[in-house]
Amino acid sequence: MPTNKQPNKINNNNEEEVDLGSLFVIIGKGFTKFFNFIKDFFKGIFHIIISVLIFLKDNFVKIGVAAIIGLVIGFVLEVKKGKTYASDLLVEPNFKSARQLYNNVKFYNDLVRQKDTARIQKTFQLDKETAGSLKKFTIEPIVNENDIINSYDDFILSVDTTTVKSYTFDEFKRSFTDLDYKIHKIHVIAQKNDVFDQLDEIILSSVMDNKYFNRVKELVNENLNRTDSLLRMNLGQVDSLRRIYMQVMLEEAKKQSNGTSIDLGGEKRTTKELELFETNRKLNAELESVVLKKSNKYEVINVISNFQPIGYEIKEITKNIAFQLAALGALFMIFVLLLIKVNTYLSSYKK
């Protein structure tokens, strides 16, 4: 009987070759589209860059004139304003007093903006000329990622395991505000360079004299002093026990030297000696932590660095009025020219 197995096999091979060919064609088209996309993307970027350069080239004179006008006006205002000086005060607020400090600095800056020289005189006990020379008060945190990590560690130690699992580090970090950083910088600008050392005492006392913060400080320090005394007493007791164990071990060593004996409690005494040593180490570590906290919490606000008696002159070009108005003039002219081009395009689009 004739069989058709061979033709079927040939047909299957042909179908497989067709399928593979189609697959390679699809893959090839995919690569072609991908590379075309990359090519078009870079062509688009290149086109935008060239268009911007052509725009700037065609309008260079107009933009330059606007920048020069702004520069001249700014130069006149800069000369009229005179030299300005600045100084910084670095502080570490305790007992959540940072918010009060920020509010007070904002209040001082509002007085300067409102040109309320009389109230500035009264607040800082300055003469009229010196009070009028103050131009700006600002405060900002010294951003340090370690502050966030340390605060999160303290948070973990203060709550139960269930709360920690439901509150991740990323969530804690998002809730961390400027007020939560440890160190903050108070920045003051004035037209006189010798006014700054008259300001820090008033700024600090406005928070440090607060009855609430002082009461919290007293309670915290009382607690730390009590813990300090207790740890020192415990250390003394542990040292006494260690000396007793040493004496017992020496006495038993002498007895053993006078005759043979089997000490069945030797291993146990060694274990107790190690336990006492570990207890002593932990108590010393806790005492060191308490002493550090006492030094940090001794005041409502710790001063890291006072205002310099003589402020430094502000010479940054970005803070120069002439530079600012020159840049503003150039940007304004570019904005106007773009509006004109858009208007022209819209008019031609209607037609």
Side-chain angles (χ1 to χ4, degrees):
M1 292 177 65
T3 179
N4 58 352
K5 289 183 179 179
Q6 191 68 23
N8 286 341
K9 187 174 181 180
I10 294 171
N11 290 336
N12 289 337
N13 289 338
N14 289 336
E15 288 176 2
E16 289 178 3
E17 289 176 1
V18 170
D19 291 341
L20 286 174
S22 300
L23 178 63
F24 284 126
V25 169
I26 293 171
I27 293 174
K29 287 181 178 180
F31 276 112
T32 302
K33 288 181 179 179
F34 175 72
F35 287 118
N36 285 337
F37 170 77
I38 294 176
K39 182 181 70 173
D40 293 340
F41 175 76
F42 283 106
K43 280 177 67 177
I45 292 177
F46 180 75
H47 175 72
I48 291 172
I49 293 173
I50 294 299
S51 298
V52 170
L53 292 176
I54 291 172
F55 173 79
L56 293 176
K57 175 179 173 295
D58 293 342
N59 300 283
F60 176 77
V61 175
K62 295 175 183 177
I63 297 172
V65 169
I68 291 172
I69 292 172
L71 182 69
V72 172
I73 296 173
F75 179 76
V76 172
L77 294 175
E78 187 72 25
V79 171
K80 186 179 179 181
K81 183 185 73 170
K83 293 182 179 180
T84 54
Y85 305 89
S87 189
D88 302 314
L89 173 67
L90 296 180
V91 296
E92 181 186 7
N94 289 319
F95 318 119
K96 299 187 182 300
S97 60
R99 184 176 298 278
Q100 182 65 52
L101 183 63
Y102 271 69
N103 289 339
N104 290 356
V105 172
K106 182 178 181 296
F107 169 71
Y108 303 143
N109 193 57
D110 287 341
L111 293 180
V112 170
R113 290 173 58 189
Q114 296 167 19
K115 300 186 185 301
D116 193 346
T117 307
R119 193 177 292 272
I120 295 172
Q121 279 184 262
K122 183 179 179 181
T123 301
F124 292 102
Q125 301 173 8
L126 302 171
D127 58 76
K128 186 175 181 179
E129 182 185 357
T130 303
S133 71
L134 295 172
K135 294 302 175 186
K136 194 173 186 180
F137 285 82
T138 58
I139 182 170
E140 62 181 1
I142 302 298
V143 177
N144 186 349
E145 290 292 325
N146 289 333
D147 290 350
I148 304 177
I149 296 172
N150 293 333
S151 296
Y152 185 68
D153 288 341
D154 293 339
F155 168 75
I156 290 174
L157 294 173
S158 63
V159 298
D160 55 76
T161 309
T162 306
T163 305
V164 172
K165 288 180 179 178
S166 63
Y167 199 58
T168 65
F169 175 75
D170 290 334
E171 291 174 322
F172 182 85
K173 187 175 182 179
R174 284 194 295 270
S175 66
F176 201 86
T177 66
D178 288 350
L179 300 176
D180 296 318
Y181 286 100
K182 287 185 65 176
I183 299 176
H184 302 262
K185 180 176 74 172
I186 299 172
H187 183 72
V188 180
I189 298 175
Q191 288 182 315
K192 293 182 69 175
N193 66 348
D194 58 351
V195 65
F196 303 104
D197 59 351
Q198 303 175 58
L199 306 177
D200 49 5
E201 185 177 348
I202 304 297
I203 294 174
L204 297 174
S205 63
S206 65
V207 179
M208 295 173 71
D209 292 343
N210 183 289
K211 291 183 179 179
Y212 170 76
F213 295 131
N214 272 291
R215 182 58 182 157
V216 175
K217 181 189 76 172
E218 290 173 6
L219 292 173
V220 169
N221 279 279
E222 282 177 12
N223 187 45
L224 288 172
N225 288 333
R226 192 181 303 111
T227 305
D228 181 279
S229 300
L230 183 62
L231 287 171
R232 291 180 190 276
M233 183 178 68
N234 290 341
L235 273 172
Q237 292 173 345
V238 170
D239 288 338
S240 297
L241 282 173
R242 289 182 66 190
R243 283 195 295 269
I244 291 171
Y245 272 107
M246 289 297 294
Q247 290 174 1
V248 171
M249 291 174 70
L250 287 172
E251 289 295 330
E252 292 194 356
K254 289 179 182 179
K255 290 179 182 179
Q256 289 178 15
S257 64
N258 293 331
T260 59
S261 63
I262 300 175
D263 183 11
L264 297 176
E267 184 178 348
K268 187 175 181 180
R269 280 197 301 273
T270 303
T271 302
K272 287 189 175 293
E273 177 67 18
L274 291 174
E275 288 176 356
L276 286 172
F277 178 80
E278 181 64 19
T279 302
N280 182 279
R281 187 189 66 80
K282 288 180 179 179
L283 288 172
N284 270 302
E286 289 181 26
L287 183 60
E288 183 181 353
S289 175
V290 169
V291 170
L292 182 61
K293 287 180 180 178
K294 285 175 65 176
S295 65
N296 287 339
K297 305 295 184 181
Y298 188 74
E299 294 289 352
V300 176
I301 296 179
N302 297 324
V303 178
I304 309 299
S305 175
N306 287 97
F307 284 124
Q308 298 85 353
I310 303 297
Y312 56 88
E313 186 178 352
I314 299 176
K315 292 184 177 180
E316 297 179 37
I317 188 169
T318 55
K319 294 183 179 180
N320 186 285
I321 297 178
F323 171 82
Q324 292 174 346
L325 289 184
L328 188 63
L331 290 173
F332 179 74
M333 179 56 69
I334 291 172
F335 178 72
V336 171
L337 292 171
L338 287 174
L339 279 180
I340 294 172
K341 286 183 73 70
V342 169
N343 184 60
T344 305
Y345 173 77
L346 293 175
S347 299
S348 62
Y349 184 79
K350 290 179 180 179
K351 298 176 182 179

